[in-house]
Amino acid sequence: MLPLGNMEGADRPRFSLELGDGLVEMRDWLHGFAESVIRPAAAEWDEREETPWPVLEEAAKIGLYSLDFYAQQYLEGSGLGIPVAFEELFWGDAGIGLSLVGSSLAAVAVVANGTPEQTGEWCPQMFGGPGEVKLGAFCSSEPDAGSDVGAIKTRAVYDAAADEWVLNGVKTWVTNGGIATVHVVVASVDPDLGSRGQASFIVPPGTPGLSMGQKFRKHGIRASHTAEVVLSDVRVPGRCVVGGRERLEERLARVREGGRGGEQAAMKTFEASRPGVAAMAVGVARAAAEYATEYARTRVQFGRPVGQNQAIAFMLADMRAAVDAARLLTWRAAWMARQGKPFASAEGSMSKLVAGETAVRVTEQAIQVLGGNGYTRDYPVERWHRDAKIFTIFEGTSEIQRMIIGRAVTGLDVR
């Protein structure tokens, strides 16, 4: 006889892939906003390569662009609030989507590592409200320290007499960099300790010495502002070290004595955000797959819809299967993170790796389905293909994700 397992609570299935009513309602609400507000504005703001302030304002009016909305999704019990939300927004457009969610990465850096007082004081200032929309920026990468966060050179020196931290350095590839109200900056406190000697610092609005350097003109996600941030003798109050100075000193002391220092702040932020980034990629890939499918149903060549050609139908089948597989990996990682289950096999990195690679491949296939039309800016698949590439690069390249997964599954120091 086959074992039946524990039948306790058999009338209540313990496993389900159905979203709860609240998530379905939120998803449909966001889909409506993405369809009616984001998509019609996408091509214009891609061409302008500017932050879509009017769209952010519309989102703020309905409570979408707000700390409360993102906090509710991050705290949603199943862990799927953020993935579901991000997929819909990026289904609308990746550039505008990143403008809408970019501040949340800075907020996550404070929430995940900071004190309740820091969260309460600074996170609301990263969003503002209707009529006074604000931004947050998380500053980690540097000209010589992208994937290699241990090579960060930005320094933070404590001035005991003034109870201030003095920051000097240059950050690059910063979403909302230089135009944000609040910047969260990863800096080295003790360079001899490498990444274990780093901490994150909150730079309040209007702090002298922080300025915007080069603004980047990008291949994709062009409606999202990306720039360098220059820190020249930036002085922030002692209380602005994320997590508090006492906790930082205790951690540094443990490391200097040969003990463990805990998770590095930047890497902890990235790990927490990976399923969300994967969901962004899923949204772009899904948009392309849906658009290509509808095109194949209605585009007639040689007297029949091109979707009747086996070559096209098989491509569409692969596209749809890949999108669903990426979503399931994303949901698994997000659920595990919310339930406090460790990523023993680097499930967060798996979701980001597969979703990012899927977005690139599926958007390219969508162009192929549309043929010459797909290569023009008259159709959105060209823009989606440009947008998709970033998901194999930022927040940990595909190569870095593979290295993380390789270390997890082999137990070896893969380099």
Side-chain angles (χ1 to χ4, degrees):
M1 180 176 178
L2 292 174
L4 298 178
N6 184 2
M7 295 297 291
E8 182 180 352
D11 57 329
R12 299 196 314 273
R14 296 180 60 188
F15 176 79
S16 173
L17 288 174
E18 288 187 333
L19 298 175
D21 292 343
L23 282 175
V24 170
E25 183 179 358
M26 182 270 290
R27 180 198 64 192
D28 294 346
W29 174 63
L30 283 186
H31 186 79
F33 183 83
E35 187 173 40
S36 63
V37 179
I38 295 177
R39 279 209 172 173
E44 174 189 352
W45 291 100
D46 176 73
E47 291 286 347
R48 293 176 64 167
E49 299 190 52
E50 297 175 358
T51 300
W53 293 105
V55 180
L56 268 64
E57 180 63 30
E58 289 301 311
K61 287 179 182 178
I62 64 172
L64 164 56
Y65 187 76
S66 68
L67 177 62
D68 284 346
F69 173 76
Y70 289 111
Q72 287 176 18
Q73 305 318 316
Y74 274 109
L75 296 174
E76 191 276 328
S78 70
L80 301 186
I82 286 295
V84 169
F86 283 11
E87 179 179 334
E88 294 305 324
L89 293 175
F90 281 69
W91 174 91
D93 179 68
I96 293 177
L98 194 56
S99 287
L100 287 167
V101 309
S103 297
S104 66
L105 183 59
V108 167
V110 175
V111 172
N113 305 291
T115 66
E117 293 75 18
Q118 289 172 332
T119 298
E121 179 176 3
W122 301 112
C123 288
Q125 297 186 55
M126 298 178 188
F127 295 91
E132 195 179 7
V133 170
K134 298 179 180 179
L135 301 171
F138 181 66
C139 312
S140 177
S141 293
E142 296 183 3
D144 296 318
S147 298
D148 183 9
V149 296
I152 284 175
K153 295 179 180 177
T154 297
R155 285 297 312 277
V157 178
Y158 184 62
D159 181 348
D163 186 25
E164 292 178 333
W165 291 94
V166 184
L167 277 62
N168 282 281
V170 177
K171 294 295 181 179
T172 194
W173 310 120
V174 180
T175 298
N176 300 332
I179 65 172
T181 302
V182 178
H183 292 74
V184 179
V185 178
V186 179
S188 176
V189 178
D190 188 339
D192 292 337
L193 300 179
S195 63
R196 297 182 300 169
Q198 296 171 1
S200 295
F201 298 85
I202 299 163
V203 181
T207 301
L210 185 148
S211 62
M212 186 178 80
Q214 175 188 6
K215 177 185 174 182
F216 295 104
R217 300 186 65 190
K218 305 188 298 296
H219 178 64
I221 55 168
R222 302 199 304 194
S224 173
H225 175 94
T226 309
E228 290 181 330
V229 171
V230 180
L231 304 133
S232 181
D233 289 332
V234 172
R235 287 181 167 267
V236 300
R239 63 186 175 84
C240 284
V241 58
V242 175
R245 182 165 170 261
E246 182 177 343
R247 197 167 83 184
L248 170 63
E249 293 295 343
E250 291 175 353
R251 176 168 64 83
L252 293 177
R254 287 198 307 272
V255 173
R256 289 171 185 142
E257 293 171 0
R260 295 181 59 84
E263 294 181 88
Q264 193 270 342
M267 293 308 296
K268 186 175 180 181
T269 300
F270 289 139
E271 188 64 19
S273 69
R274 276 182 184 133
V277 176
M280 299 175 189
V282 171
V284 175
R286 179 184 129 214
E290 290 178 356
Y291 195 94
T293 301
E294 184 59 27
Y295 184 92
R297 280 198 287 253
T298 58
R299 173 68 168 173
V300 175
Q301 291 286 280
F302 302 104
R304 62 180 183 178
V306 298
Q308 279 189 254
N309 296 315
Q310 190 178 88
I312 299 298
F314 280 14
M315 193 183 306
L316 294 171
D318 287 342
M319 293 162 69
R320 189 60 62 93
V323 172
D324 283 8
R327 181 186 297 109
L328 288 172
L329 282 174
T330 300
W331 284 12
R332 179 184 68 170
W335 177 83
M336 289 178 67
R338 187 68 183 91
Q339 308 310 315
K341 297 182 179 295
F343 288 162
S345 297
E347 287 85 355
S349 290
M350 283 188 190
S351 69
K352 202 269 185 182
L353 170 65
V354 172
E357 298 285 334
T358 295
V360 172
R361 183 172 62 257
V362 167
T363 53
E364 181 180 10
Q365 290 172 315
I367 292 176
Q368 194 70 21
V369 171
L370 270 67
N373 287 335
Y375 199 65
T376 72
R377 293 190 182 183
D378 294 330
Y379 292 80
V381 292
E382 174 271 341
R383 183 178 70 252
W384 294 336
H385 184 52
R386 288 189 284 109
D387 291 341
K389 185 57 188 172
I390 194 60
F391 296 107
T392 68
I393 299 172
F394 75 172
E395 305 239 6
T397 65
S398 291
E399 291 71 29
I400 289 295
Q401 306 306 330
R402 290 185 175 98
M403 184 172 67
I404 294 170
I405 297 166
R407 288 172 177 172
V409 300
T410 66
L412 301 174
D413 185 16
V414 178
R415 294 181 181 272

